[in-house]
Amino acid sequence: MRSKPENKLSSAAIKAWRLTTCIFCLLIGFIPFLFWIYNVVSPGEGNFSIWMIATLGFLIVVIAGLFITYLPEVRWQHWYYQVDKHEIDLQNGIFIITRTLVPVKRVQHVDTRQGPILRNYGLADVTISTAATTHRIPALDEETAEQVRNQISRFARLAKEDV
């Protein structure tokens, strides 16, 4: 079996993923609030029990706390990539480990992308497009992302010249 890819993502990815997860959990946190508003607006039978709303709110807070605290770091610990002149090797996953080998000669184009959260932490994603699908190396330092993009582009050009 092949050895694991060598390169890790930027450690700032943990902070960016925590912020993203926090925003998502805040949106989910509005669900008990909406049930409570429904009870206030339409009093009568068929309303939700206040205990059910409180329990739902408590569960959302506990699960969100676990997801915000632990999941980004565990996710970061299980993400690896490696680029060489023949292929791009990606490995990620916590319970189900996905290993993807992208032949460099199949690469059609490669991009870097930044959203507002990644830009805030000086990170960028590298997206690698082939005829069949798009692969992504998430949350690299901006400089590293640019180097990886240029390296993949150079290897793809050389591989297509050899064909």
Side-chain angles (χ1 to χ4, degrees), residues 27-106:
L27 294 175
I28 297 296
F30 276 109
I31 291 173
F33 181 70
L34 292 176
F35 286 149
W36 181 76
I37 291 291
Y38 177 78
N39 280 351
V40 170
V41 171
S42 62
E45 290 187 28
N47 285 349
F48 301 102
S49 159
I50 194 71
W51 289 106
M52 185 188 90
I53 295 171
T55 303
L56 180 64
F58 177 75
L59 287 175
I60 287 174
V61 168
V62 169
I63 292 170
L66 292 173
F67 275 36
I68 292 168
T69 306
Y70 296 111
L71 190 62
E73 190 164 341
V74 171
R75 183 176 167 204
W76 178 80
Q77 289 172 347
H78 292 86
W79 231 113
Y80 298 94
Y81 73 96
Q82 187 170 344
V83 176
D84 65 28
K85 64 182 182 182
H86 298 293
E87 61 196 12
I88 302 156
D89 191 357
L90 309 172
Q91 180 177 327
N92 64 10
I94 297 168
F95 297 112
I96 298 171
I97 297 172
T98 302
R99 184 90 184 254
T100 305
L101 298 173
V102 181
V104 167
K105 64 183 176 186
R106 300 283 184 193

Side-chain angles (χ1 to χ4, degrees), residues 10 12 114 116-124 139-143:
S10 170
Q114 278 184 313
I117 295 173
L118 291 180
R119 193 175 318 123
N120 185 43
Y121 288 100
L123 302 171
L140 297 174
D141 291 327
E142 287 175 326
E143 187 176 316

